[in-house]
Amino acid sequence: MSTMPERIPFDGDNEAVIGRLDAEIVALTFVDNAGITRVKTVPMRRLKQAARYGVGVSPCFETFAFDDLMAVGKYLGGPDGDLRLVPDLAALTELACQPGWAWAPTNKYTQEGTPFAACQRGFAARQDEAARRAGIRLSMAFETEWSVGTDDPADFIPAVHGPAYSMLRLGQVADYARELVAILDRQGILVDQFHPEYAPGQLELSVQPSDPVGAADDAVLVRHTIRQVSLQHGWRALLAPCLDPDGTGSGAHLHFSAQDADGPLFATGDGPYGMRRTGEAFLAGVLREQPALVAVGAGNPASFLRLVPSRWAGTWQCWGRETREAALRFITGVRGTEEWAANAEVKCFDATGNPYLIVGSVIAAGLAGLAEELRLPAEINGDPVTFDAEQLMISGVRRLPTSPAEAADRLADSRVLAEAMGPELHDALLTVRRAEAERYRDSSPEELVALTRWRF
């Protein structure tokens, strides 16, 4: 488990970690509130110093939008101040996808050496620690969907063709897929499944779960590896949520399971589909906060081109077993595997969401549900778009926010997420989402696709 120490850490044992790597330069990354992975680099000989004192970066990035334009919030934004990016050497990885390079995620500290209040990775670590204090250990993993296309910055031309999920498509990416899976394995990320997907040129992979901070780290590294391997094959990887306003988009679904000293929370109980009461309460908390979670994990203006009913994007605030129109999908696993396979999936997220904010916010929502002993409403079956007004009223099913401004308002209203994030981080995220919503309020779907096509 990765945690954020109270002051800038340095352990002499890290020298042995550094010495094992065959790399000349190190990429030190953080993910901003718009979901963009930003980077500073240092030569390997300076990594020890960076781990002790950090690398300088302006706090202005906390209010950068996806278009690199800066807004100014209540606490952050503007030209003043400095932060220190401190690499987590426990996660230091040699990049097989980028020879001669290594990578490490960073935590943000102040110049006085104390944790920065708005550090997104630190937020994820705090929520994981809060869960552990409550006796709960979470395992998480992101699915990654992307499309491969030709290197044309003005358009997207799929690099593979054929029926969705077909062997025809797989044959066209066979060498690419084999190489990608092998490189991820060399970088310490084990792929569980790879397959062609539905949208033009679209592929998907899922990886083995990790602790929450590790799952977010994995998401950053998986996306970078996909982009690099695609370039080496003469393609570009499109991870943006929408490539065609009239078609399905690409998501970044989060899967998670939980256990305590008595075993798994989502199995062995007498609740819905074997959930224990604690597992039901955790999921009920996540379900309650889903309107606000949209702003965290899919609040970009282009995200709402993907969040369309009947496309299995999870646009409805409801849950169900294997119900792909529900934002919260419960998965039991096949009979005999429930104790280790049962998990939940949040389907509304995409790659415009900061993965550290996503995992931290989902944990915070679940812990609030646990503290309040919430219960899940009745599950739904089928596509809620076919329900009449009476069915919707009886079931309590509601559409999730349909615009970035509405999603930001729901985040502003969320007492749970405001308290968990703290005022600086909560306001910075709101500042970014509202700036993006206002700036592109009148943009056409085609303009939003073009604006975000190669940004993620």
Side-chain angles (χ1 to χ4, degrees):
M1 179 187 69
S2 297
T3 59
M4 193 168 183
E6 294 181 358
R7 297 189 68 83
I8 290 180
F10 183 78
D11 185 338
D13 292 341
N14 290 333
E15 295 186 55
V17 174
I18 295 171
R20 287 199 298 268
L21 298 186
D22 182 20
E24 301 166 19
I25 193 164
V26 186
L28 308 177
T29 63
F30 64 97
V31 185
D32 69 15
N33 291 314
I36 303 293
T37 301
R38 311 283 181 177
V39 66
K40 289 288 189 85
T41 76
V42 296
M44 183 61 74
R45 59 178 171 75
R46 288 203 66 242
L47 184 57
K48 178 180 175 180
Q49 182 178 359
R52 185 184 296 274
Y53 300 113
V55 174
V57 67
S58 169
C60 70
F61 288 107
E62 305 309 313
T63 53
F64 262 43
F66 78 91
D67 55 11
D68 291 344
L69 295 179
M70 181 175 57
V72 178
K74 183 177 179 181
Y75 303 97
L76 295 166
D80 300 324
D82 199 46
L83 299 173
R84 311 304 295 176
L85 297 177
V86 178
D88 182 351
L89 296 188
L92 182 65
T93 302
E94 189 172 339
L95 291 179
C97 68
Q98 193 170 308
W101 285 78
W103 165 82
T106 65
N107 292 314
K108 298 171 186 172
Y109 287 79
T110 68
Q111 288 181 298
E112 289 70 40
T114 57
F116 177 51
C119 176
Q120 297 86 353
R121 193 170 187 265
F123 165 66
R126 290 196 307 273
Q127 296 311 305
D128 185 25
E129 181 59 29
R132 288 172 184 263
R133 288 197 302 271
I136 296 173
R137 291 179 176 265
L138 288 132
S139 294
M140 294 182 160
F142 285 89
E143 292 181 9
T144 303
E145 295 178 340
W146 75 102
S147 292
V148 288
T150 56
D151 189 5
D152 182 352
D155 199 1
F156 177 81
I157 302 173
V160 294
H161 303 277
Y165 306 97
S166 68
M167 277 294 286
L168 181 61
R169 280 198 195 186
L170 180 63
Q172 297 168 50
V173 295
D175 290 340
Y176 168 83
R178 176 179 49 79
E179 183 179 338
L180 176 61
V181 171
I183 286 175
L184 287 170
D185 181 77
R186 287 163 58 190
Q187 294 174 171
I189 297 176
L190 300 181
V191 173
D192 275 347
Q193 183 172 282
F194 173 97
H195 61 269
E197 252 281 359
Y198 187 85
Q202 191 178 46
L203 309 169
E204 178 182 317
L205 63 78
S206 54
V207 302
Q208 289 192 353
S210 181
D211 66 86
V213 176
D217 288 341
D218 286 351
V220 173
L221 187 51
V222 164
R223 294 170 193 176
H224 179 68
T225 303
I226 286 169
R227 288 189 289 264
Q228 290 302 103
V229 175
S230 298
L231 286 173
Q232 292 160 14
H233 282 256
W235 299 331
R236 290 188 75 175
L238 192 154
L239 290 102
C242 184
L243 59 88
D244 176 5
D246 296 322
T248 59
S250 290
H253 307 165
L254 176 69
H255 288 258
F256 63 95
S257 61
Q259 64 178 26
D260 62 14
D262 296 322
L265 269 59
F266 299 154
T268 73
D270 57 4
Y273 298 110
M275 297 179 202
R276 291 169 50 205
R277 182 64 62 87
T278 49
E280 181 182 358
F282 193 97
L283 293 183
V286 175
L287 180 62
R288 181 180 65 181
E289 297 300 322
Q290 279 189 328
L293 289 171
V294 171
V296 178
N300 185 283
S303 296
F304 298 88
L305 303 177
R306 170 183 169 267
L307 292 174
V308 175
S310 304
R311 293 184 184 174
W312 296 8
T315 62
W316 300 93
Q317 187 181 9
C318 56
W319 79 280
R321 183 193 182 199
E322 300 292 8
T323 303
R324 289 170 174 81
E325 275 297 304
L328 184 62
R329 171 188 172 215
F330 188 68
I331 303 157
T332 58
V334 300
R335 181 166 297 178
T337 70
E338 294 92 342
E339 288 195 31
W340 56 265
N343 71 94
E345 176 189 31
V346 183
K347 293 183 62 64
C348 57
F349 299 143
D350 61 49
T352 69
N354 180 314
Y356 302 103
L357 292 183
I358 288 173
V359 300
S361 296
V362 167
I363 296 171
L367 290 179
L370 190 61
E372 298 176 45
E373 299 182 344
L374 298 182
R375 302 294 298 273
L376 285 168
E379 68 169 321
I380 66 111
N381 294 289
D383 187 346
V385 81
T386 66
F387 294 4
D388 59 29
E390 183 179 4
Q391 285 178 293
L392 288 171
M393 182 181 67
I394 292 172
S395 66
V397 174
R398 298 288 184 271
R399 271 293 302 273
L400 291 177
T402 59
S403 72
E406 183 187 356
D409 287 345
R410 298 293 76 76
L411 176 61
D413 294 339
S414 173
R415 173 189 55 82
V416 169
L417 296 187
E419 291 181 358
M421 291 182 181
E424 297 87 353
L425 178 55
H426 188 251
D427 181 76
L429 178 57
L430 274 173
T431 297
V432 169
R433 291 311 193 196
R434 284 177 165 161
E436 292 173 340
E438 176 62 24
R439 193 171 295 141
Y440 298 108
R441 180 180 56 188
D442 299 322
S443 298
S444 70
E446 291 75 19
E447 288 170 334
L448 291 175
V449 168
L451 284 164
T452 55
R453 182 178 289 123
W454 307 119
R455 302 297 288 176
F456 297 95

